[in-house]
Amino acid sequence: MKNTASSPGIPRGLPKAAHCLHCGEELGLSNVVFSNGNYFCCTGCSSVFELLNTLGLGNFYKIKEEQNIEKTGRPIDPEKAEEYGYLDQDNFINQYTSSEYPLKMDFYIEGIHCGACLWLIEKIPDYAPHIESVSLNMSSSVATVNFKDEKKFSSFPEIVKRFGYKAHPIKIDEEAQELKRKENRKSLIRLSIAAVCAGNIMLLSAAIYSGAEGVFAKHFGLLNLLLSLPVVAYCAVPFYKSVISSLRSRRVTVDIPIVFVIVVGFFLSTYNYLNGNDQVYFDSVTTFIFLLLASRYFLKSIQERITKKEPAGRLLFSQNRILIWDNQNKQFFLEPIEDLRAGQKVKLKKGERIPLDGELLSPDAELNLSVLTGENIPQTVLKHDVIYAGSILESEQAIIEVTKTGDSTRIGKLLDEVEKNYRSKISSSTYSDKFATIFTLLVGVIAIISFVTISTIISPATALSRVMAFVLIACPCAFVFALPLSLGFSLNSAVEKGILIKSTQIFEKLPHVTNIFFDKTGTLTKGVYKILKWNTEKLSEYDQAAIVAIEKESSHPIARAIVSHLGDKDVKLPGVTNFKHIYTKGIEARVGNHIYEFMSDKDIKSSNDINEIITTKIVINKDGETLSELYLGDSLKEDAKFVVNLLRNKGYKLHILSGDNENNVKQTALKLGIAEEDIYWEQTPEEKALIVKGLKHSMMIGDGLNDTSAFSSADVGVSVQGSVEESLKVSDAYILNNNLINIADLLEHGNITKKSIKRNTLFSVAYNITAGTLALLGYINPLAAAVLMPLSSLLLIGSSLYGQNNLNQKRQGAIL
Amino acid sequence: MNIIFLTLGVSIAIALLFLAAFIWATKKGQYDDLTTPSQRMLLDDYEITETKKDEKEEQVK
């Protein structure tokens, strides 16, 4: 922790394209730490690196290298992590664990991303004295830990904490978990039984169709009947259940025509087999059920891969405690946050996230307001200023009087609103349900009319058999498995590209998007604050040393950037006196006989470089005369301009919606060629939501909590940064690797899916009209049904696949 | 041609045998977690490298 930026002999400048040795983060000048000959992005990374090496766990980096893992998450600062002492206290142990051996506890581990993490976590029992074994499930990030000693539950999270992960003890609802596991296994078993039976029935039916007669036909038919029994009676049970529950709630779902087909098909076939007729459809019915189960299992497993990234089970304790002033004892006590009431006084320390709305009682404080503005540069607030929950304290400490807590804070209300919006978004009915209603009604009406007509013209017996064949053949394939498959393929290829999607409903909304809103910092730009231009050659050695000495007094990011830009001098640093902050302007200090001033200048000219956005100009004065000028700022992401042009050429209307100031937003818009009337600056989260709501068919792309209410007001909200858990709670899609090109991909996915749904619908309508008519006219025999039904299904599956291949080829073409 | 019934019986018996094996594996939890075991076996070869024992114990504490 100590030998960081201040370590002697930090080289000047940085090697090209430097990345943090631990987490792989790109290094800017404001985030570089040099330690024992290696570069890191923060002290957290360098201390984890050292710890791993002293523990003999250096293979962590070897595994990462061999598995080609470039970027992992940043370690969580152990100082900020919770205390786990309560895990060893008697009242906790009695309440939450059973006394039986083995002593087991589950932990949800934040920050798991690759095989190297798996290795690190599962190697813990090799050297930790109290831990028997650890087994980590990577897809759910849950580690099950067996302890040797009953009062040492804290030992595991304490070790993990030092590696830069955060462990939350969770009380998994064992029953619910077990039930879910059993349900998953059951659906796999259902699928396998359906596969075996349907396969064998097909073989036997092929024999019958190709002319098996007499005793063979009779016995093969009997075998078919026997083999289809488990499929209809066991494998298809989920459909029956779903129909019963949908009938209870008086809703028409796509499962109603499915069950209708299964029941009619099976009983008609059984009746015909027993009476020696040849209208037997066991093969069609069982294949139908198998394909249905398979497509649903596929979709479910892809969806689970995404939702599993959220914490399983309930977090045991919110272990957050805060220093609250006790009037009787005249001192601060650490109390649970839940006990906080308005009117109380609290003390917060550097780096803490403020959990309340309140009024500042200390003279001043530096706050990182990124939760509300999206900007990472700390701002100074003065006594009696209002402080909002979610901001992070950057100065040493602050005393705050509480005005609001929990859900009634500004951020609490925002999140509440977000949740409400989402509930209403999700409850809207889907395309396939709407289709099912129409389809079911139509088939029912046609069946009744045809039955009446045919029985008057020919005979009731013929009418019954033809109508049954019609119902069986009129298959809603397009919606019962082609749609889930299309959505599943889209989801899957999205996941592979690093786009996580919460609900497949997004694909129905994407094709309608016309307005795209971008957040600026962290979305279009890198959000890394660097020195862009500074001519230091004219500065004398003495001035440079003086500047470093002064800036070391401050913890402001600008100061840190200046120090690491100049590098440490071997010369002894001069003494600094009279150091003072000049509110909103800069700092002033005396070194030797000279007074140095660092003033920010509002007169900013934009940079000529296509990617640089200058946000701050600092003028350094020495004894009242200008000594040097330096420019700091952010840069656009490498692909920002390309993606913006691509989207504009495709006809989308682009907007920028930022919490940053006018100058910075205008510079960004100018570089990207976005018109001035389409940009909004200094927007609060509430205002962002209103603007997005004001335009129809909108998509919001952002990176932080300050964009969440805009996400939920937009038709589609896409989050590009932050933790997966939090982002997926508030947005529809989450982009893992921070590449903007994925936005274009996502929109393309929407179009492809829409096209493939359209194609499938069209095909399905044509098929149903033709086959239905033939069935009613009496031309459909079991052979025709056996060929037509699977063939139509295969065609639809092929059509869904075709769309995906198309997309992949397009993407390759664009890269070449 | 009656041999067909024998071969048919055998083929269905084999199919059921494999089905039973699959169901057994599923119930034993073989398909519960498809990601971690595949990663875990790649990591068997990596051991903790030797370091000074005192230092290690100190770090753990």
Side-chain angles (χ1 to χ4, degrees):
Chain A
M1 296 256 134
K2 279 108 213 162
N3 47 351
T4 56
S6 57
S7 65
I10 180 169
R12 206 167 165 148
L14 273 175
K16 245 189 178 177
H19 294 274
C20 174
L21 191 60
H22 177 72
C23 72
E25 180 78 30
E26 191 184 340
L27 298 176
L29 283 167
S30 55
N31 68 344
V32 63
V33 165
F34 185 72
S35 166
N36 294 343
N38 295 310
Y39 291 95
F40 299 97
C41 67
C42 57
T43 53
C45 281
S46 77
S47 55
V48 171
F49 180 82
E50 270 161 38
L51 175 68
L52 292 187
N53 280 319
T54 39
L55 284 175
L57 295 165
N59 270 336
F60 175 77
Y61 300 100
K62 212 170 147 194
I63 296 169
K64 257 176 69 178
E65 198 186 313
E66 278 171 22
Q67 296 196 356
N68 272 330
I69 297 151
E70 278 166 15
K71 209 170 165 183
T72 56
R74 217 181 256 202
I76 291 145
D77 187 350
E79 314 263 302
K80 282 186 203 163
E82 44 188 295
E83 295 295 325
Y84 296 102
Y86 68 95
L87 289 178
D88 301 337
Q89 280 159 13
D90 285 335
N91 57 358
F92 174 82
I93 295 172
N94 296 338
Q95 206 176 344
Y96 288 102
T97 57
S98 55
S99 54
E100 292 163 52
Y101 280 84
L103 291 159
K104 202 178 87 176
M105 190 177 278
D106 290 316
F107 293 89
Y108 172 74
I109 303 183
E110 221 176 287
I112 294 290
H113 18 65
C114 61
C117 300
L118 174 71
W119 180 79
L120 203 56
I121 302 283
E122 294 203 334
K123 274 282 180 256
I124 288 176
D126 287 11
Y127 52 87
H130 304 290
I131 296 166
E132 178 77 45
S133 67
V134 178
S135 148
L136 175 74
N137 182 326
M138 279 179 76
S139 44
S140 60
S141 292
V142 172
T144 305
V145 186
N146 288 308
F147 293 88
K148 284 180 192 159
D149 186 340
E150 93 176 59
K151 300 216 166 154
K152 278 293 172 197
F153 287 118
S154 65
S155 57
F156 177 76
E158 292 289 349
I159 294 174
V160 165
K161 174 167 107 179
R162 309 206 24 221
F163 293 157
Y165 306 98
K166 206 168 174 180
H168 306 274
I170 48 174
K171 176 106 182 143
I172 290 182
D173 186 346
E174 286 285 343
E175 265 175 56
Q177 194 73 4
E178 189 57 32
L179 221 65
K180 207 180 149 201
R181 203 177 297 139
K182 274 197 178 146
E183 197 49 52
N184 272 339
R185 291 179 187 172
K186 242 189 206 164
S187 57
L188 197 58
I189 291 173
R190 285 206 170 96
L191 181 59
S192 62
I193 293 177
V196 168
C197 294
N200 280 293
I201 290 174
M202 284 236 251
L203 279 177
L204 294 169
S205 305
I208 298 176
Y209 294 139
S210 52
E213 277 174 343
V215 69
F216 286 119
K218 204 176 155 211
H219 286 100
F220 286 1
L222 182 66
L223 262 177
N224 275 349
L225 172 60
L226 290 178
L227 282 170
S228 57
L229 267 176
V231 182
V232 174
Y234 177 70
C235 301
V237 167
F239 303 119
Y240 308 146
K241 278 188 185 160
S242 136
V243 165
I244 290 170
S245 76
S246 74
L247 286 180
R248 269 200 199 129
S249 57
R250 293 175 192 284
R251 256 161 33 99
V252 179
T253 65
V254 77
D255 284 349
I256 292 177
I258 293 175
V259 168
F260 199 53
V261 168
I262 295 171
V263 172
V264 168
F266 180 73
F267 284 106
L268 178 72
S269 307
T270 313
Y271 174 82
N272 282 339
Y273 168 72
L274 294 176
N275 289 311
N277 299 335
D278 60 355
Q279 308 277 48
V280 179
Y281 300 99
F282 292 123
D283 49 342
S284 307
V285 172
T286 49
T287 315
F288 180 60
I289 295 173
F290 165 67
L291 286 173
L292 269 177
L293 288 172
S295 63
R296 290 202 178 172
Y297 186 80
F298 173 66
L299 186 66
K300 201 175 139 213
S301 61
I302 296 172
Q303 266 170 339
E304 239 163 45
R305 246 166 73 191
I306 296 161
T307 51
K308 261 188 181 168
K309 300 202 184 240
E310 286 174 38
R314 158 177 81 89
L315 299 185
L316 252 194
F317 272 155
S318 86
Q319 197 33 48
N320 297 319
R321 281 156 196 262
I322 189 167
L323 284 167
I324 302 179
W325 177 255
D326 186 337
N327 253 334
Q328 283 170 352
N329 295 311
K330 302 284 171 218
Q331 71 183 97
F332 286 100
F333 284 109
L334 211 53
E335 308 273 357
I337 266 173
E338 286 76 20
D339 294 352
L340 204 59
R341 298 284 169 268
Q344 282 178 315
K345 269 184 259 177
V346 296
K347 182 151 103 181
L348 289 148
K349 285 183 279 180
K350 188 174 177 172
E352 277 189 285
R353 194 177 275 276
I354 295 164
L356 46 94
D357 283 0
E359 187 186 317
L360 187 68
L361 296 180
S362 327
D364 62 63
E366 298 255 299
L367 288 177
N368 179 335
L369 298 173
S370 64
V371 69
L372 293 171
T373 61
E375 305 305 313
N376 271 317
I377 300 167
Q379 290 176 6
T380 311
V381 285
L382 297 175
K383 192 168 181 172
H384 300 308
D385 277 354
V386 181
I387 286 175
Y388 291 111
S391 14
I392 299 165
L393 188 64
E394 297 276 352
S395 44
E396 281 313 313
Q397 65 170 50
I399 294 173
I400 300 168
E401 187 179 314
V402 184
T403 53
K404 279 169 190 160
T405 60
D407 288 344
S408 55
T409 60
R410 187 167 162 203
I411 199 82
K413 278 187 196 152
L414 271 178
L415 290 176
D416 208 41
E417 188 65 22
V418 167
E419 226 170 274
K420 263 189 227 149
N421 274 342
Y422 266 101
R423 249 175 273 145
S424 65
K425 248 184 177 182
I426 283 171
S427 61
S428 65
S429 72
T430 59
Y431 191 42
S432 56
D433 283 339
K434 278 181 213 152
F435 179 86
T437 318
I438 299 169
F439 186 86
T440 316
L441 285 174
L442 207 65
V443 169
V445 170
I446 295 176
I448 293 168
I449 294 172
S450 320
F451 182 73
V452 176
T453 333
I454 299 171
S455 35
T456 44
I457 298 172
I458 311 170
S459 73
T462 324
L464 186 70
S465 117
R466 283 191 192 178
V467 167
M468 288 293 176
F470 164 73
V471 169
L472 183 61
I473 213 120
C475 155
C477 296
F479 290 86
V480 298
F481 46 76
L483 182 66
L485 272 177
S486 278
L487 295 177
F489 285 138
S490 295
L491 262 183
N492 199 30
S493 67
V495 171
E496 271 165 19
K497 287 197 186 108
I499 311 170
L500 300 181
I501 287 161
K502 184 154 70 182
S503 146
T504 50
Q505 284 184 28
I506 189 180
F507 291 114
E508 290 181 18
K509 286 177 186 152
L510 278 171
H512 303 292
V513 168
T514 47
N515 288 295
I516 302 179
F517 291 91
F518 287 98
D519 173 51
K520 185 183 72 75
T521 314
T523 305
L524 287 170
T525 71
K526 289 179 181 164
V528 178
Y529 202 54
K530 285 186 188 184
I531 293 178
L532 298 173
K533 209 161 55 178
W534 188 14
N535 194 353
T536 56
E537 278 160 23
K538 282 185 201 153
L539 291 171
S540 70
E541 282 290 318
Y542 179 81
D543 284 334
Q544 290 196 19
I547 289 167
V548 170
I550 293 166
E551 293 294 357
K552 273 198 175 166
E553 301 279 314
S554 168
S555 62
H556 199 276
I558 294 181
R560 286 200 301 246
I562 290 177
V563 171
S564 60
H565 189 80
L566 285 175
D568 264 6
K569 299 282 153 270
D570 287 336
V571 292
K572 200 167 160 269
L573 292 176
V576 178
T577 50
N578 295 352
F579 180 88
K580 60 183 174 206
H581 280 280
I582 304 163
Y583 178 57
T584 70
K585 287 213 173 106
I587 50 178
E588 186 190 288
R590 175 183 280 271
V591 175
N593 291 325
H594 303 286
I595 293 172
Y596 288 87
E597 287 175 319
F598 296 79
M599 293 300 181
S600 68
D601 190 338
K602 295 272 175 244
D603 176 34
I604 297 169
K605 290 191 191 89
S606 76
S607 161
N608 294 327
D609 187 284
I610 47 160
N611 281 329
E612 286 176 357
I613 295 152
I614 293 173
T615 56
T616 316
K617 178 180 172 190
I618 302 277
V619 181
I620 305 176
N621 293 328
K622 183 185 178 186
D623 299 328
E625 276 178 42
T626 304
L627 184 70
S628 180
E629 286 178 351
L630 63 114
Y631 296 89
L632 294 110
D634 200 352
S635 358
L636 289 175
K637 286 183 185 166
E638 273 87 8
D639 59 351
K641 201 165 168 100
F642 173 73
V643 172
V644 163
N645 283 335
L646 187 76
L647 292 176
R648 190 185 297 114
N649 291 340
K650 285 195 175 166
Y652 295 105
K653 188 143 177 58
L654 309 177
H655 311 258
I656 296 180
L657 201 52
S658 174
D660 204 356
N661 68 38
E662 181 176 352
N663 168 59
N664 299 349
V665 178
K666 276 190 175 166
Q667 268 194 64
T668 314
L670 197 70
K671 293 216 189 294
L672 292 170
I674 293 174
E676 204 158 300
E677 66 261 27
D678 297 328
I679 60 175
Y680 307 86
W681 54 86
E682 282 163 31
Q683 298 295 319
T684 63
E686 292 89 345
E687 287 168 337
K688 282 186 174 184
L690 273 180
I691 292 172
V692 169
K693 219 178 254 176
L695 281 171
K696 272 188 181 157
H697 307 308
S698 52
M699 174 171 175
M700 172 75 201
I701 300 152
D703 71 324
L705 267 177
N706 65 315
D707 298 316
T708 50
S709 47
F711 286 157
S712 68
S713 312
D715 290 322
V716 181
V718 182
S719 169
V720 295
Q721 232 168 14
S723 75
V724 182
E725 294 89 26
E726 279 179 13
S727 305
L728 272 187
K729 254 179 231 157
V730 295
S731 55
D732 299 290
Y734 172 73
I735 290 177
L736 273 173
N737 50 16
N738 218 339
N739 285 342
L740 283 176
I741 188 73
N742 279 334
I743 305 280
D745 269 357
L746 188 63
L747 286 161
E748 194 62 20
H749 270 303
N751 286 331
I752 296 272
T753 314
K754 190 190 173 191
K755 261 187 213 157
S756 117
I757 291 173
K758 240 186 180 169
R759 195 167 51 227
N760 290 346
T761 315
L762 211 70
F763 173 77
S764 170
V765 168
Y767 161 80
N768 279 317
I769 289 175
T770 325
T773 317
L774 288 176
L776 289 176
L777 293 175
Y779 289 113
I780 294 286
N781 56 23
L783 180 58
V787 173
L788 269 180
M789 281 187 63
L791 195 69
S792 72
S793 313
L794 282 177
L795 271 172
L796 284 170
I797 293 168
S799 145
S800 311
L801 266 173
Y802 167 76
Q804 292 307 314
N805 282 339
N806 224 6
L807 179 65
N808 289 339
Q809 273 164 13
K810 255 192 197 167
R811 172 68 37 242
Q812 273 166 0
I815 289 162
L816 295 172
Chain B
M1 282 297 270
N2 281 340
I3 193 72
I4 281 189
F5 290 108
L6 181 68
T7 53
L8 203 62
V10 171
S11 79
I12 288 178
I14 292 174
L16 290 180
L17 202 71
F18 277 102
L19 180 64
F22 184 82
I23 291 173
W24 175 76
T26 311
K27 285 200 165 158
K28 283 272 168 191
Q30 289 283 319
Y31 305 105
D32 283 355
D33 180 2
L34 296 174
T35 36
T36 325
S38 63
Q39 291 271 344
R40 199 174 279 145
M41 80 175 196
L42 290 174
L43 306 173
D44 278 350
D45 295 339
Y46 296 96
E47 280 307 318
I48 297 180
T49 43
E50 279 301 310
T51 46
K52 281 175 234 153
K53 213 180 170 223
D54 308 342
E55 205 176 336
K56 189 187 281 184
E57 268 166 16
E58 199 179 292
Q59 285 288 350
V60 171
K61 275 170 199 164

